Amino acid sequence: MRRNIVAGNWKMNKNFSEADDLICAIQDELANVDVCDVDVIVCPPYPYLELVTDASEDSDFYVGAQNVAHFDDGAYTGEVSASMLSAMDVDYCIVGHSERRKYFHETNKDIAEKINRLIARDITPIMCVGESLEERENGNHFDVIRKQVEEGIFHLSAEDMQRCVIAYEPIWAIGTGKTASKEQAQEIHAFIRNLIVEKYSDDVAQEVSILYGGSCNPKNAKDLFSMQDIDGGLIGGASLKAEDFIQIVKSF
């Protein structure tokens, strides 16, 4: 069955000392929380992966990377491969985040290639999908989401599909302080799950966790997570404060 998940995406924040302080604070906070019903994931910048994977050995959280190359290896300066992440005991990896799509022009084809490489290395992909404000206002948001899901992940076998996580992140709500209402978020989550049912089966759909990302915080997390098809959150800004992040973890 699908798992409740709270994943913290630190993005490009914190120097090394600050990252060390944050992960220690998360460890301390988690020590007092029963997390048997939720998988906690911390996704730091690349330079801090070893710091966080070392800390995870004595704590109840998993480690995720924020991106991966869509190449296996070779002369790709600045890129990081799935095999490198695997060697560092990384459990999850975010792919297709709206910031990667916007600023680095990643396509659905690129994202599909990244997912293939992660699956081959037994790393769970967290594939992000979402629409812009213009696309929503024009009524195109369902078509946008469908295309991202179908082209990004529906090439997988049913077995591999069950190993993936999808995160719905309305672009207009990321870092803006705006949040989709719980009804708006549920509508899209249900739509995504129904796409999985149509492509594979209900059994497969019930194995895939679908997260909400977009200004999720301690104040709104409980309402969002109460919805039938919302299995947790991909947390940005609120993951940079241990107390806020753990409060979201406790929202289930």
Side-chain angles (χ1 to χ4, degrees):
M1 291 294 289
R2 63 200 213 230
R3 292 282 297 167
N4 296 325
I5 295 172
V6 174
N9 177 14
W10 292 6
K11 305 190 180 184
M12 195 176 71
N13 291 292
K14 304 294 184 183
N15 60 35
F16 186 86
S17 177
E18 292 168 340
D20 192 18
D21 289 344
L22 177 55
I23 200 60
C24 287
I26 289 173
Q27 283 181 291
D28 291 343
E29 293 278 352
L30 274 179
N32 301 313
V33 178
D34 182 0
V35 293
C36 62
D37 292 329
V38 56
D39 292 341
V40 180
I41 307 168
V42 177
C43 303
Y46 283 139
Y48 310 147
L49 279 173
E50 186 170 9
L51 169 71
V52 177
T53 54
D54 286 349
S56 71
E57 294 178 1
D58 300 315
S59 300
D60 290 322
F61 68 84
Y62 298 94
V63 181
Q66 297 179 16
N67 187 35
V68 68
H70 57 283
F71 310 104
D72 286 324
D73 51 43
Y76 303 104
T77 300
E79 291 292 282
V80 175
S81 70
S83 62
M84 294 174 183
L85 297 180
S86 177
M88 296 183 72
D89 297 322
V90 169
D91 308 293
Y92 292 82
C93 183
I94 301 168
V95 293
H97 192 282
S98 62
E99 293 157 0
R100 298 293 312 179
R101 294 177 188 264
K102 178 179 180 180
Y103 300 125
F104 302 95
H105 311 293
E106 291 186 0
T107 66
N108 292 331
K109 182 179 179 181
D110 294 333
I111 292 158
E113 291 288 350
K114 294 182 180 198
I115 288 172
N116 291 343
R117 281 155 178 76
L118 293 171
I119 290 288
R121 294 291 177 173
D122 293 322
I123 298 172
T124 299
I126 303 175
M127 187 189 78
C128 300
V129 298
E131 82 282 4
S132 68
L133 181 60
E134 181 181 7
E135 289 165 338
R136 174 165 281 272
E137 290 179 339
N138 289 339
N140 298 330
H141 49 297
F142 290 114
D143 292 337
V144 170
I145 300 298
R146 179 188 292 274
K147 183 178 177 68
Q148 290 173 343
V149 171
E150 289 181 347
E151 294 184 1
I153 205 166
F154 273 3
H155 62 286
L156 296 178
S157 67
E159 180 181 3
D160 285 342
M161 183 67 201
Q162 294 176 76
R163 300 166 59 191
C164 298
V165 175
I166 296 175
Y168 167 60
E169 42 159 28
I171 299 170
W172 46 272
I174 299 172
T176 64
K178 298 179 181 180
T179 308
S181 69
K182 62 182 181 180
E183 292 81 13
Q184 287 174 316
Q186 165 59 23
E187 181 182 42
I188 297 295
H189 281 240
F191 175 72
I192 293 170
R193 200 173 307 281
N194 190 59
L195 290 177
I196 301 172
V197 172
E198 292 176 354
K199 171 66 176 179
Y200 299 97
S201 68
D202 185 63
D203 287 343
V204 172
Q206 292 306 318
E207 294 293 331
V208 179
S209 295
I210 306 177
L211 314 183
Y212 173 77
S215 297
C216 183
N217 58 59
K219 293 181 179 179
N220 60 30
K222 195 172 189 68
D223 280 345
L224 287 164
F225 297 171
S226 70
M227 305 306 286
Q228 180 178 353
D229 288 289
I230 299 179
D231 302 312
L234 178 59
I235 315 301
S239 71
L240 299 175
K241 296 180 179 179
E243 184 177 352
D244 287 353
F245 184 57
I246 300 306
Q247 191 61 46
I248 294 172
V249 171
K250 293 163 66 175
S251 296
F252 286 100

